[in-house]
Amino acid sequence: MKLQLNGATLDVDVATLDGLLTAQGFGGAKVATAVNGQFVPAPSRADHPLAEGDLIEVLAPMQGG
């Protein structure tokens, strides 16, 4: 399935957002996620299905001001 992760096109074989994060090395990282512009909270990622063409954003928190 083709997806976009942070603007880069990927061809992956995953069914859920959690599966994608694990496959892309974000496993236990503290990140914020959105699919097609909609925030997906961490507890919902394992149940959030992905579909062909989905746009996924993964953002890491930053410190500073």
Side-chain angles (χ1 to χ4, degrees):
M1 153 175 38
K2 289 193 187 226
L3 306 169
Q4 280 201 5
L5 175 62
N6 293 345
T9 301
L10 300 175
D11 193 1
V12 294
D13 186 25
V14 297
T16 64
L17 181 55
D18 189 58
L20 177 67
L21 293 175
T22 299
Q24 295 299 307
F26 292 104
K30 300 286 186 194
V31 294
T33 54
V35 177
N36 300 323
Q38 297 294 313
F39 173 71
V40 180
S44 300
R45 293 175 188 157
D47 298 324
H48 191 93
L50 295 177
E52 183 81 22
D54 277 349
L55 305 173
I56 296 99
E57 294 291 329
V58 179
L59 303 169
M62 298 178 69
Q63 291 183 327

